Amino acid sequence: MNVQEQITAYITNQPEPKRSDMQALHHLILQVLPGCKLWFDDGKNSENKTVSNPNIGYGFYTIKYADGKTREFFQIGLSANKTGISVYILGITDKTYLAQTFGKEIGKASVTGYCIKFNKLKDINTDVLEAAIRYGVGVTSEN
């Protein structure tokens, strides 16, 4: 199964209304990052043990480690969890920025240093979510 097929299967297997919310978010992120590299992480480690929720990834940036090594990773992540949906905005070094800048305006969501978590898409302001995604992509595109 290729990445697009894995993403389609992952979204399709979600219960409603999460399925529709995930599909809408998938389209929103693809509008922000047209033609981006797509990733799918099934959440399993090398021993095939589940270590995290599956994640759809969008775009890529290079992580630079202190020892000089580098690794490519996605800029934006989308994941279903037990109570809702998480959008990961990776690569922002200021871990207070998302919460301070977007937390009050986004609606009923928990905002941490790199994650915006909410129960249903209707609970949040998608324009604010899009602005947060655009910010994160801009920061990681500069690096």
Side-chain angles (χ1 to χ4, degrees):
M1 209 182 318
N2 69 32
V3 172
Q4 186 59 55
E5 291 169 335
Q6 290 175 303
I7 291 169
T8 300
Y10 176 60
I11 293 172
T12 301
N13 287 326
Q14 299 303 315
E16 284 295 353
K18 195 178 293 185
R19 179 183 323 134
S20 295
D21 287 352
M22 294 279 291
Q23 190 65 53
L25 287 164
H26 180 63
H27 287 299
L28 172 74
I29 298 167
L30 289 175
Q31 286 177 336
V32 174
L33 287 165
C36 69
K37 179 177 180 175
L38 292 174
W39 308 63
F40 186 76
D41 178 354
D42 64 5
K44 296 183 181 190
N45 67 11
S46 58
E47 288 100 41
N48 207 31
K49 181 180 176 186
T50 300
V51 294
S52 69
N53 290 326
N55 217 312
I56 302 168
Y58 304 85
F60 77 93
Y61 75 108
T62 304
I63 300 171
K64 297 172 187 159
Y65 296 102
D67 64 4
K69 292 182 181 177
T70 61
R71 175 179 168 209
E72 281 191 355
F73 207 68
F74 51 85
Q75 294 166 291
I76 305 298
L78 176 62
S79 181
N81 55 58
K82 287 182 183 178
T83 60
I85 298 169
S86 295
V87 175
Y88 300 100
I89 303 174
L90 305 174
I92 300 172
T93 54
D94 180 352
K95 297 304 176 198
T96 63
Y97 187 84
L98 279 181
Q100 289 177 350
T101 307
F102 304 105
K104 290 180 181 155
E105 304 289 322
I106 199 155
K108 290 174 57 177
S110 164
V111 183
T112 66
Y114 64 92
C115 180
I116 299 172
K117 185 176 174 180
F118 49 91
N119 292 336
K120 295 183 176 94
L121 192 55
K122 68 178 184 164
D123 293 340
I124 65 163
N125 182 329
T126 55
D127 291 338
V128 174
L129 177 63
E130 182 179 341
I133 291 168
R134 287 186 185 281
Y135 172 79
V137 168
V139 168
T140 52
S141 294
E142 293 169 3
N143 295 335

